[in-house]
Amino acid sequence: MPRDRFEELVAEALDEIPRELARAMDNVVVLVEDRDPGDPTLLGLYHGIALTERLSHYGGELPDRIFIYREAILDICETEDDVIDEVAITVVHEIAHHFGIDDARLHELGWG
C-alpha cells in the first residue's frame, strides 16, 4: 500500500474520533513512520505527557507525538480492509494513552 493511501486511512481514523474527545486532545500530533527503530514490530506508540499527568506548571512543552507505524501494520494485514481495521484500532489505542488509559485497561475494554 502506498504511503499516501496509508496516511489517508490514518486521517480517516482520526475523523472517526468522537468530536468531544477530539476537542479534548491537547498539544498532540499524529505522525506516520515506517517502523519504530527500537521495536520494528510495534504498530503504534504514544510519546508524551498524558492529559491526566499534566500539572498546573505544564506549558511551553513540545507537542506529544503519536506514531503510527506503516510497515509494521502492513506486515500483519492481508487485505486493505484489514489495514483499515488495524489503523483504526491503533489510532484509538494511542489516543487512549494520551488520555491516560494504560494497556491493561485498554485490554479490558477490547482495544488491546
Side-chain angles (χ1 to χ4, degrees), residues 38-52:
D39 181 354
T41 64
L42 200 61
L43 305 181
L45 179 68
Y46 170 73
H47 186 270
I49 301 170
L51 293 175
T52 55

Side-chain angles (χ1 to χ4, degrees), residues 30 55 58 69 71 96:
V30 178
L55 303 174
Y58 177 86
Y69 296 115
E71 290 179 2

Side-chain angles (χ1 to χ4, degrees), residues 91-111:
V91 166
V92 168
H93 184 103
E94 300 311 327
I95 288 173
H97 288 317
H98 177 66
F99 284 100
I101 301 171
D102 65 15
D103 283 328
R105 182 66 178 135
L106 282 168
H107 283 281
E108 289 173 13
L109 296 170
W111 292 97

Side-chain angles (χ1 to χ4, degrees), residues 17-31:
I17 301 299
R19 208 173 280 168
E20 313 77 54
L21 289 178
R23 278 192 225 129
M25 292 173 63
D26 182 48
N27 200 30
V28 62
V29 62
V30 178
L31 304 164

